[in-house]
Amino acid sequence: METQVGIVGAGPAGLVLSHLLHLAGIDSVVLEQRSRSYVESRIRAGVLEQGSTDLLIETGVGARMLAEGAVHEGVNLQFDGQRHRIDLARLTGRRITVYGQQEVVKDLIAARLAAGGTIVFEADDVTPRGIDGAHPTIAFRHEGSERELSCDVVAGCDGFHGVCRGLIPDGVLTEFAREYPFAWLGVLAQVAPSTDELIYAFHARGFALHSLRSPEISRLYLQVDPADDIANWPDDRIWEELQLRLASPGWALDEGSIVEKAITAMRSYVCEPMQHGHLYLAGDAAHIVPPTGAKGMNLAIADVTVLARALSDWFGGGDHGGLDAYSERCLRRVWRVQDFSNTMTELMHVLPRGDPFASRVQLARQRYVATSAAMQHTIAENYVGLPLA
Ligand SMILES: Cc1cc2nc3c(=O)[nH]c(=O)nc-3n(C[C@H](O)[C@H](O)[C@H](O)COP(=O)(O)OP(=O)(O)OC[C@H]3O[C@@H](n4cnc5c(N)ncnc54)[C@H](O)[C@@H]3O)c2cc1C
């Protein structure tokens, strides 16, 4: 097999990249270790920045999102029962769209296959080789046969646990990481959302988030201990805790049957640089943000927008400048988003006991958010997302 860009991973990063390259007349092959049905039903992110939705619409894969996604003009932050609405549209002129990541993935897979693109699902032992030379290859196993893909460039879009980041040699790669002392218990519930806009709630018992998926499905989260086990959380306990933490005068939370629940650790991670030789990392392969800022999928889309343009300049006219500057350009946005995600996380979660100073600073910050138009503007600007490069 031969192609111009060998893409490892069919998540948002790999699929958007393959789609953008196709529109620029550049050939790519996507190698994905999981099955199509698995990646199309993997429940994860659900909040799209305006820059991400604009890109999907402009490139012809936004029709279903426009029909089924919900555009939100505001977001609620709640501190001990008092709700404060941040008016995103008034403050920034921009909006967010609630549309499940798995739906974005389905739309992109359908578009790539309709355009004759190649996505190899259930590709095992994917192993890129020769990224330092002019002719990289990617070895893999498919349906029992050993295969090899020759390419000019490898795009590592294989998520946090993928193989591509490990190809950047020690001494070149620098890692920055932060583990948070809490995790999120995420729930998908068959019940109409009790709110039109997301509610981020700080409560003495811990953070809670009421998010949405569709008119019939709610997405809810609780701050829990990272060592906690989902077996400790029968559905009744989850609803009881959500009722307590999200409670607000004159508002009621409707309950329904829980169809999925899982605990996810929260961490921040960045690797620098995001490129080496003919390997370019994008999305979670290069960085992770805690989900409080709703940024992971958007950051993946932002990376590959930069990469697709740089590859187009190179394949189209031999200009390598964009590729040389790829990592530096992406990292500026990555660190801005790390700062925002970290700020939101520390603002909204109950901090571990034993640091009264940090708790007082947190309270002062929450009061500032509740009362300062300037602070609300800052949150709004970051939440809707900076324009794509
Ligand atoms: C609970 C939760 C809630 C979240 N909420 C939000 C949110 O509200 N908003 C937001 O923007 N982000 C959110 N995120 C983050 C977001 O889901 C990720 O940032 C996003 O999936 C990154 O896309 P990606 O394409 O870089 O990586 P991934 O989606 O992880 O895709 C990587 C792909 O590579 C494949 N792969 C891995 N290893 C290999 C290999 N060796 N060979 C071949 N294929 C491989 C994987 O199977 C996968 O399909 C959330 C994440 C979680 C877990």
Side-chain angles (χ1 to χ4, degrees), residues 117-175:
T118 306
I119 307 172
V120 181
F121 291 102
E122 299 179 72
D124 289 325
D125 293 336
V126 173
T127 313
R129 295 192 178 121
I131 55 160
D132 288 312
H135 302 290
T137 57
I138 310 178
F140 62 100
R141 198 155 19 85
H142 189 236
E143 293 174 344
S145 309
E146 302 297 331
R147 310 282 297 273
E148 192 175 77
L149 175 67
S150 301
C151 48
D152 299 303
V153 161
V154 176
C157 302
D158 49 349
F160 188 66
H161 300 287
V163 290
C164 289
R165 187 173 64 248
L167 301 172
I168 302 182
D170 291 346
V172 175
L173 187 81
T174 306
E175 299 182 287

Side-chain angles (χ1 to χ4, degrees), residues 8-14 31-34 39 42 44-47 101 123 126 157-159 161-163 219 221 264 282-285 291 294-298 300:
V8 185
L31 303 176
E32 165 60 50
Q33 70 180 3
R34 302 286 193 168
V39 298
R42 189 166 41 197
R44 281 190 171 178
V47 175
Q101 176 171 323
V126 173
C157 302
D158 49 349
H161 300 287
V163 290
R219 185 82 167 128
Y221 296 94
T264 312
D284 280 17
K295 292 292 175 216
M297 171 167 53
N298 295 296

Side-chain angles (χ1 to χ4, degrees), residues 77-84 86 200-204 206-207 223 343-351 358-372 375-376 379:
L77 301 188
Q78 177 172 314
F79 306 115
D80 285 329
Q82 296 300 310
R83 209 163 279 176
H84 307 274
I86 311 257
Y200 288 76
F202 174 88
H203 188 277
F207 168 75
Q223 173 185 350
T343 301
M344 285 290 284
T345 301
E346 294 189 343
L347 180 75
M348 300 306 302
H349 290 76
V350 172
L351 305 171
S359 295
R360 287 290 192 280
V361 168
Q362 183 187 43
L363 179 63
R365 217 173 265 165
Q366 291 172 351
R367 288 176 175 157
Y368 191 50
V369 170
T371 54
S372 161
M375 186 62 182
Q376 290 180 8
I379 290 179

